[in-house]
Amino acid sequence: MNNYKVFIFICVAFSRCFCQEASNREGTPVVSCNCECSDQETTQVILQQLEDLQADLSSLEEDLKWYTASNGYQYRVTSTLLNWQDSRNICLDIGADLAVVGPKDYEKRLEISEALLKPRNIQKTWIGLSDIADEGNWVWVDGSAATTENAHWRPPQPDNEDDQDCGSIWKESYGYLSDDSHCTNKQPALCEKLLDQP
């Protein structure tokens, strides 16, 4: 189907095509066409737009894929870069929430990060952790308290530098540990839902 679309897009950019029918050695009719571009620059623009659309489609297809972890939950990382609250809303809209259960268990956090973050070279992703309601009192979006045993902070986090109130998982070189970030930062979200949820 993609090849068909490419053909249509490319043909739109040609002004003249000369086609002739001939026969191959087996006697089968073969049509060959020689097309001239009306505007090479237009053709390049159309081809670039097609490439961009295909990249967008690939990104959307990735968003539709859920990774099933060994803890009975499913995860996916959004390709859209949004602030923490908008990211949470995206997760809620697809029947999930920002991840809590996976990030609380460090072994599961590593499993999920290796499966979803590392292959896409994602440096930071939102998780369901914040101290928005009460400065210095970090809680998960399920209402449970964040502790040193379940938040897995990257030392010396959380440092609340310049009012950082939202939690992220940070890149592989930092061991996928938690970091407090500005809630307005634009980054992907790690969404989580139970395996049997639609």
Side-chain angles (χ1 to χ4, degrees), residues 20 26 28-29 32 36 51-52 69 77 80 90 99 111 131 164 172 175 184-185 187:
Q20 63 183 25
E26 291 80 31
T28 306
S32 62
E36 296 176 11
E51 189 176 306
D52 293 345
V77 177
T80 308
I90 290 287
E111 173 193 343
D131 71 345
Q164 297 172 319
E172 180 186 13
T184 55
N185 287 357
Q187 53 195 50

PDB file of all heavy atoms in Angstrom, residues 20 26 28-29 32 36 51-52 69 77 80 90 99 111 131 164 172 175 184-185 187:
ATOM      1  N   GLN A  20       5.273   3.378 -24.166  1.00  0.00           N
ATOM      2  CA  GLN A  20       5.173   2.540 -25.346  1.00  0.00           C
ATOM      3  C   GLN A  20       5.080   1.096 -24.901  1.00  0.00           C
ATOM      4  O   GLN A  20       5.605   0.714 -23.864  1.00  0.00           O
ATOM      5  CB  GLN A  20       6.350   2.754 -26.281  1.00  0.00           C
ATOM      6  CG  GLN A  20       7.686   2.394 -25.704  1.00  0.00           C
ATOM      7  CD  GLN A  20       8.812   2.715 -26.684  1.00  0.00           C
ATOM      8  OE1 GLN A  20       8.664   3.581 -27.544  1.00  0.00           O
ATOM      9  NE2 GLN A  20       9.909   2.013 -26.564  1.00  0.00           N
ATOM     10  N   GLU A  26       9.555 -13.554 -24.023  1.00  0.00           N
ATOM     11  CA  GLU A  26       8.511 -14.574 -23.953  1.00  0.00           C
ATOM     12  C   GLU A  26       7.246 -14.150 -24.700  1.00  0.00           C
ATOM     13  O   GLU A  26       6.264 -14.872 -24.732  1.00  0.00           O
ATOM     14  CB  GLU A  26       8.148 -14.880 -22.488  1.00  0.00           C
ATOM     15  CG  GLU A  26       9.240 -15.584 -21.713  1.00  0.00           C
ATOM     16  CD  GLU A  26      10.319 -14.638 -21.221  1.00  0.00           C
ATOM     17  OE1 GLU A  26      10.011 -13.458 -20.947  1.00  0.00           O
ATOM     18  OE2 GLU A  26      11.468 -15.069 -21.131  1.00  0.00           O
ATOM     19  N   THR A  28       5.383 -11.552 -23.811  1.00  0.00           N
ATOM     20  CA  THR A  28       4.467 -10.877 -22.900  1.00  0.00           C
ATOM     21  C   THR A  28       4.556  -9.380 -23.125  1.00  0.00           C
ATOM     22  O   THR A  28       5.653  -8.820 -23.203  1.00  0.00           O
ATOM     23  CB  THR A  28       4.848 -11.183 -21.428  1.00  0.00           C
ATOM     24  OG1 THR A  28       4.905 -12.593 -21.266  1.00  0.00           O
ATOM     25  CG2 THR A  28       3.839 -10.596 -20.459  1.00  0.00           C
ATOM     26  N   PRO A  29       3.387  -8.708 -23.263  1.00  0.00           N
ATOM     27  CA  PRO A  29       3.423  -7.250 -23.449  1.00  0.00           C
ATOM     28  C   PRO A  29       4.018  -6.556 -22.217  1.00  0.00           C
ATOM     29  O   PRO A  29       3.711  -6.903 -21.092  1.00  0.00           O
ATOM     30  CB  PRO A  29       1.958  -6.860 -23.624  1.00  0.00           C
ATOM     31  CG  PRO A  29       1.218  -8.127 -23.844  1.00  0.00           C
ATOM     32  CD  PRO A  29       2.048  -9.230 -23.283  1.00  0.00           C
ATOM     33  N   SER A  32       6.588   0.417 -21.031  1.00  0.00           N
ATOM     34  CA  SER A  32       7.644   1.214 -20.411  1.00  0.00           C
ATOM     35  C   SER A  32       7.312   2.681 -20.609  1.00  0.00           C
ATOM     36  O   SER A  32       6.809   3.080 -21.659  1.00  0.00           O
ATOM     37  CB  SER A  32       9.006   0.877 -20.998  1.00  0.00           C
ATOM     38  OG  SER A  32       9.020   1.176 -22.367  1.00  0.00           O
ATOM     39  N   GLU A  36       8.892  13.070 -17.705  1.00  0.00           N
ATOM     40  CA  GLU A  36       9.692  14.267 -17.466  1.00  0.00           C
ATOM     41  C   GLU A  36       9.073  15.058 -16.330  1.00  0.00           C
ATOM     42  O   GLU A  36       7.858  15.257 -16.290  1.00  0.00           O
ATOM     43  CB  GLU A  36       9.728  15.134 -18.725  1.00  0.00           C
ATOM     44  CG  GLU A  36      10.411  14.475 -19.896  1.00  0.00           C
ATOM     45  CD  GLU A  36      10.347  15.331 -21.142  1.00  0.00           C
ATOM     46  OE1 GLU A  36       9.954  16.508 -21.046  1.00  0.00           O
ATOM     47  OE2 GLU A  36      10.685  14.814 -22.209  1.00  0.00           O
ATOM     48  N   GLU A  51       7.968  11.498   2.959  1.00  0.00           N
ATOM     49  CA  GLU A  51       8.877  10.915   3.953  1.00  0.00           C
ATOM     50  C   GLU A  51       8.468  11.338   5.369  1.00  0.00           C
ATOM     51  O   GLU A  51       8.448  10.516   6.288  1.00  0.00           O
ATOM     52  CB  GLU A  51      10.308  11.362   3.658  1.00  0.00           C
ATOM     53  CG  GLU A  51      11.357  10.649   4.473  1.00  0.00           C
ATOM     54  CD  GLU A  51      12.753  11.065   4.061  1.00  0.00           C
ATOM     55  OE1 GLU A  51      13.069  10.975   2.855  1.00  0.00           O
ATOM     56  OE2 GLU A  51      13.514  11.482   4.954  1.00  0.00           O
ATOM     57  N   ASP A  52       8.108  12.600   5.540  1.00  0.00           N
ATOM     58  CA  ASP A  52       7.666  13.092   6.844  1.00  0.00           C
ATOM     59  C   ASP A  52       6.376  12.409   7.289  1.00  0.00           C
ATOM     60  O   ASP A  52       6.227  12.045   8.459  1.00  0.00           O
ATOM     61  CB  ASP A  52       7.456  14.612   6.813  1.00  0.00           C
ATOM     62  CG  ASP A  52       8.752  15.392   6.632  1.00  0.00           C
ATOM     63  OD1 ASP A  52       9.841  14.793   6.809  1.00  0.00           O
ATOM     64  OD2 ASP A  52       8.677  16.590   6.283  1.00  0.00           O
ATOM     65  N   ALA A  69       4.862  -6.267  30.499  1.00  0.00           N
ATOM     66  CA  ALA A  69       5.957  -6.551  31.426  1.00  0.00           C
ATOM     67  C   ALA A  69       5.623  -7.788  32.258  1.00  0.00           C
ATOM     68  O   ALA A  69       4.475  -8.256  32.296  1.00  0.00           O
ATOM     69  CB  ALA A  69       6.203  -5.346  32.334  1.00  0.00           C
ATOM     70  N   VAL A  77       5.343   4.185  25.630  1.00  0.00           N
ATOM     71  CA  VAL A  77       5.891   5.534  25.710  1.00  0.00           C
ATOM     72  C   VAL A  77       5.271   6.339  24.576  1.00  0.00           C
ATOM     73  O   VAL A  77       5.266   5.897  23.428  1.00  0.00           O
ATOM     74  CB  VAL A  77       7.428   5.525  25.570  1.00  0.00           C
ATOM     75  CG1 VAL A  77       7.977   6.940  25.577  1.00  0.00           C
ATOM     76  CG2 VAL A  77       8.051   4.709  26.690  1.00  0.00           C
ATOM     77  N   THR A  80       4.643  11.925  21.579  1.00  0.00           N
ATOM     78  CA  THR A  80       4.367  13.346  21.716  1.00  0.00           C
ATOM     79  C   THR A  80       5.065  13.893  22.956  1.00  0.00           C
ATOM     80  O   THR A  80       4.990  13.302  24.032  1.00  0.00           O
ATOM     81  CB  THR A  80       2.840  13.584  21.847  1.00  0.00           C
ATOM     82  OG1 THR A  80       2.187  12.926  20.769  1.00  0.00           O
ATOM     83  CG2 THR A  80       2.510  15.057  21.825  1.00  0.00           C
ATOM     84  N   ILE A  90      -2.997  12.384  28.458  1.00  0.00           N
ATOM     85  CA  ILE A  90      -2.876  11.478  27.305  1.00  0.00           C
ATOM     86  C   ILE A  90      -2.992  10.033  27.780  1.00  0.00           C
ATOM     87  O   ILE A  90      -3.709   9.226  27.195  1.00  0.00           O
ATOM     88  CB  ILE A  90      -1.532  11.691  26.560  1.00  0.00           C
ATOM     89  CG1 ILE A  90      -1.516  13.032  25.848  1.00  0.00           C
ATOM     90  CG2 ILE A  90      -1.243  10.547  25.593  1.00  0.00           C
ATOM     91  CD1 ILE A  90      -2.380  13.118  24.613  1.00  0.00           C
ATOM     92  N   ALA A  99       2.973   5.913  34.697  1.00  0.00           N
ATOM     93  CA  ALA A  99       3.436   4.680  35.331  1.00  0.00           C
ATOM     94  C   ALA A  99       3.767   4.853  36.802  1.00  0.00           C
ATOM     95  O   ALA A  99       4.404   5.825  37.202  1.00  0.00           O
ATOM     96  CB  ALA A  99       4.644   4.145  34.577  1.00  0.00           C
ATOM     97  N   GLU A 111      13.560  -3.433  33.392  1.00  0.00           N
ATOM     98  CA  GLU A 111      12.970  -4.245  32.320  1.00  0.00           C
ATOM     99  C   GLU A 111      12.209  -3.351  31.329  1.00  0.00           C
ATOM    100  O   GLU A 111      12.400  -3.439  30.111  1.00  0.00           O
ATOM    101  CB  GLU A 111      12.011  -5.272  32.924  1.00  0.00           C
ATOM    102  CG  GLU A 111      11.215  -6.050  31.896  1.00  0.00           C
ATOM    103  CD  GLU A 111      10.056  -6.834  32.503  1.00  0.00           C
ATOM    104  OE1 GLU A 111      10.018  -7.064  33.734  1.00  0.00           O
ATOM    105  OE2 GLU A 111       9.166  -7.210  31.718  1.00  0.00           O
ATOM    106  N   ASP A 131       5.335  16.223  43.631  1.00  0.00           N
ATOM    107  CA  ASP A 131       5.040  16.870  44.915  1.00  0.00           C
ATOM    108  C   ASP A 131       4.286  18.175  44.659  1.00  0.00           C
ATOM    109  O   ASP A 131       4.430  19.151  45.373  1.00  0.00           O
ATOM    110  CB  ASP A 131       6.302  17.078  45.759  1.00  0.00           C
ATOM    111  CG  ASP A 131       7.238  18.159  45.227  1.00  0.00           C
ATOM    112  OD1 ASP A 131       7.090  18.583  44.062  1.00  0.00           O
ATOM    113  OD2 ASP A 131       8.126  18.592  45.984  1.00  0.00           O
ATOM    114  N   GLN A 164      11.213  22.244  40.958  1.00  0.00           N
ATOM    115  CA  GLN A 164      10.967  21.030  40.181  1.00  0.00           C
ATOM    116  C   GLN A 164      10.005  20.131  40.967  1.00  0.00           C
ATOM    117  O   GLN A 164      10.336  19.667  42.053  1.00  0.00           O
ATOM    118  CB  GLN A 164      12.286  20.294  39.910  1.00  0.00           C
ATOM    119  CG  GLN A 164      13.244  21.107  39.069  1.00  0.00           C
ATOM    120  CD  GLN A 164      14.602  20.455  38.961  1.00  0.00           C
ATOM    121  OE1 GLN A 164      15.127  19.922  39.930  1.00  0.00           O
ATOM    122  NE2 GLN A 164      15.179  20.500  37.770  1.00  0.00           N
ATOM    123  N   GLU A 172      19.703   5.996  30.524  1.00  0.00           N
ATOM    124  CA  GLU A 172      20.438   4.775  30.860  1.00  0.00           C
ATOM    125  C   GLU A 172      21.728   5.063  31.609  1.00  0.00           C
ATOM    126  O   GLU A 172      22.073   4.356  32.557  1.00  0.00           O
ATOM    127  CB  GLU A 172      20.745   4.006  29.568  1.00  0.00           C
ATOM    128  CG  GLU A 172      21.500   2.724  29.803  1.00  0.00           C
ATOM    129  CD  GLU A 172      21.906   2.055  28.507  1.00  0.00           C
ATOM    130  OE1 GLU A 172      21.823   2.685  27.439  1.00  0.00           O
ATOM    131  OE2 GLU A 172      22.324   0.897  28.587  1.00  0.00           O
ATOM    132  N   GLY A 175      21.277   5.070  35.071  1.00  0.00           N
ATOM    133  CA  GLY A 175      20.655   3.872  35.623  1.00  0.00           C
ATOM    134  C   GLY A 175      19.143   3.901  35.647  1.00  0.00           C
ATOM    135  O   GLY A 175      18.523   3.171  36.409  1.00  0.00           O
ATOM    136  N   THR A 184       6.729  21.770  33.483  1.00  0.00           N
ATOM    137  CA  THR A 184       6.460  22.354  32.164  1.00  0.00           C
ATOM    138  C   THR A 184       7.389  21.812  31.079  1.00  0.00           C
ATOM    139  O   THR A 184       7.189  22.108  29.898  1.00  0.00           O
ATOM    140  CB  THR A 184       6.600  23.886  32.216  1.00  0.00           C
ATOM    141  OG1 THR A 184       7.900  24.212  32.719  1.00  0.00           O
ATOM    142  CG2 THR A 184       5.537  24.499  33.120  1.00  0.00           C
ATOM    143  N   ASN A 185       8.402  21.034  31.458  1.00  0.00           N
ATOM    144  CA  ASN A 185       9.290  20.440  30.455  1.00  0.00           C
ATOM    145  C   ASN A 185       8.464  19.605  29.482  1.00  0.00           C
ATOM    146  O   ASN A 185       7.467  19.001  29.863  1.00  0.00           O
ATOM    147  CB  ASN A 185      10.338  19.538  31.107  1.00  0.00           C
ATOM    148  CG  ASN A 185      11.407  20.310  31.837  1.00  0.00           C
ATOM    149  OD1 ASN A 185      11.428  21.535  31.827  1.00  0.00           O
ATOM    150  ND2 ASN A 185      12.292  19.583  32.500  1.00  0.00           N
ATOM    151  N   GLN A 187       8.412  16.345  27.344  1.00  0.00           N
ATOM    152  CA  GLN A 187       9.066  15.045  27.174  1.00  0.00           C
ATOM    153  C   GLN A 187       7.998  13.958  27.019  1.00  0.00           C
ATOM    154  O   GLN A 187       6.819  14.216  27.244  1.00  0.00           O
ATOM    155  CB  GLN A 187       9.996  14.758  28.348  1.00  0.00           C
ATOM    156  CG  GLN A 187       9.370  14.867  29.715  1.00  0.00           C
ATOM    157  CD  GLN A 187      10.407  14.939  30.828  1.00  0.00           C
ATOM    158  OE1 GLN A 187      11.345  15.722  30.781  1.00  0.00           O
ATOM    159  NE2 GLN A 187      10.224  14.125  31.834  1.00  0.00           N
TER     160      GLN A 187
END
